[in-house]
Amino acid sequence: MKDNEYETDDSLVAVELKKQLEFNIEEEKLKSVCEIISDEIIKYIKKRKEMTKYILEYRKKAIEEYRDDEDMVMEYFDHELYVKEEAFKTIDRRLKELTALKSSPYFGRIDFSEEDYGINKMYVGRFGVTQDDTYDPLIVDWRAPVASLFYTGSLGKAFYDAPKEKIQVNILAKRQYIVKKQKLKGMFDSALDIKDEILQMVLSSNSGEKLKDIIMTIQKEQDDLIRQPRNQTIVVDGVAGSGKTTIALHRVAYLLYNYRKILQDKVLILGPNNVFIEYISTVLPSLGESGVKQTTFRDFAFDFLELDEVMSLKEYMEKVLSGEKEITQDIMYKNSIQYKTFLDDEVENLDKNYFTIEDLFFMGDLVLSKKEIGEMFYVDYKTMPLFRRSKKIKRIMYSKINNARDEKVRVVQKEYEKTVATLPKDEQELKANNLDFNRRLKIREIIKEVLDLKKKLTWIENGNCVDLYNKINGYKKLNENDLGGILYFKIKLEGIKMAKEIKHVVIDEAQDYNQLQFLIVKELTGCTSLTIVGDSNQRLIPYVGKLPMHDLKSILPHLNVKEFRLNTSYRSTKEIMEYANKYLNGDPIVPIVRNGEMVTEELANNKDELKKLILEKVEDFKNKTFENIAIICKDINETEKTFELIKEVSTVRIIDKEDAIYHSGVVVLPSYFAKGLEFDAVIMVIDEPNDTSEHKTDGLETQYKQEDKLRYVMATRALHELYVVKKSSF
């Protein structure tokens, strides 16, 4: 026994010595890489300085040359200078990437063998680095095709997609690193499954850091979605915390890296609200990407529409949560196929009856007959949207009027010339002035007739799409659903498109979109590829039938749509996800094995107890160094009451409108503004008992228990701890 014990001790010592030796080797490697990056930074600073000097001198020379002609300076274009300026942008971008890499050059290594090429040891980082005069990269960008090997689930046979073919390899080892400020803090050999130590470490950090460190923890199922083909439209239905937003943003970064010439400045991200847009605003810049437009569908619609008053998102969601009968019926109807059919019928009716076509006469002569104008409307230009068609026909009518005018003027001119020519020479000088005056008078009368006729042509004038929509909508106050209806009208009647070219669209929280919104985004952008992510469990807006995000193959049949389901949550602890699972009717969330504190529930019988429980828990969370603490209430009424209760005692702020900005600290907010966000710790304030009765609207049962889904959303915002305060009626 003793001999065996000695042997075991010796083997453990040998393992530890081997680990320490490898750690020392990796430390030297890191030091060497950091030195190379520092040298590269110095080189690029020098390059940028030289390029800046060259461009400034070149511009100065051009201004000197065209000093006396300002118009020439404005029109001046020199191809050589343009090339230099583009080179400067590339150098500047590269310098920013190298600077970002300096403190943490890489986060992983993959060892693999490839037939005829031997063994490769490849370091993977946020950005790639290849020194001048070398072919082997020092660091490979995580978005490069070969880097996908780092995210595969296991060792052994694998492949990556090269530009021309799949490359078969044998993965021998994977290693992950924690590097902070050029120091190696830890390293782990791993097959990168969801129980991986670094994944646990990153997920256990506070929410702000987690978003920035996510590249090293991307899982195989997420990486597969990120690297889907560019022309593929992917629909991801994932549970809370499954990394949907992470997938969407990193897919944008991946696509821009591999298709920059095609997609640069041509990507659009649509988020649920401005709080969310602000929350994710730093993620793409941290990945080296800029120029991506991030907005909400509401603001996207406002870019095309001139509207005086639309119900705010807050008012809209408050009416939804209160179960107000009128808004519920309106939402269910405007989310249905019947509503689109109704709009199509109205457009067809306008096509047939909006314009009352008349014969076009000019000074008693028929210029265009009613039949000819009708043929232009319903035969020649039938395929054009109605109001674009009418503009085209109006231009033709104006052209015909101008032609008739010119003909009349020519007749007057010929009469004048003929009369002058027939006068005896001795009378020409006496009568010429009078004849010329009469000629001008007649021409002026003709021009006046033209102006009067054009003013009277009111029947060809286009209507206002908002006014037309308001008429068929019964002049009710416009809300979120009406934005889609009005835009649909404008597309069908005016044929509008985005002024700026868009090649890829990301839609987050897509479970709340109706079919018109999907159709409109496609029509306005002309995109053939979209990344659509959402969680069907988080749809708070009532609907019947199939959820639109799962019906894209019929809504947009020309797109190549592929659907994916994610059931694993990486956000919250096992205890939080098990608590959230009780509010789901469908498949339960599969939490990763990250344990934390139990979810506790407390009952508050009055305002004083509620105040005491919240303040004690906030203080407890602060002592645990949680940076982002949210007190989430059902609606704005409860949010304002809770804020008033604790605002004087604790440093807390309220998010009560959609343009609020939140970075850290203690915040009170309603459930619908918390969608898509995550916090280190959450306090849920809910009513007791839990009313889970299903809403009914005119005999139609909605496909969810709203209160349960609301609480699922609230609970799944928490990363590390969740505390529930139930209010008895007071």
Side-chain angles (χ1 to χ4, degrees), residues 96 360 468 616 643 670 720:
K96 287 175 182 175
L360 180 64
L468 290 169
E616 284 179 353
F643 178 69
H720 308 305

Side-chain angles (χ1 to χ4, degrees), residues 202-203 205-214 279 282-283 286 626-628 662-664 678-680 719-720:
V202 172
L203 295 180
S205 64
N206 288 341
S207 61
E209 287 301 311
K210 194 170 85 66
L211 268 178
K212 293 175 185 174
D213 287 341
I214 203 71
Y279 178 70
T282 59
V283 178
S286 76
F626 290 146
E627 296 174 4
N628 305 306
Y662 173 74
H663 291 295
S664 63
E678 56 185 34
F679 304 90
D680 298 326
L719 279 169
H720 308 305

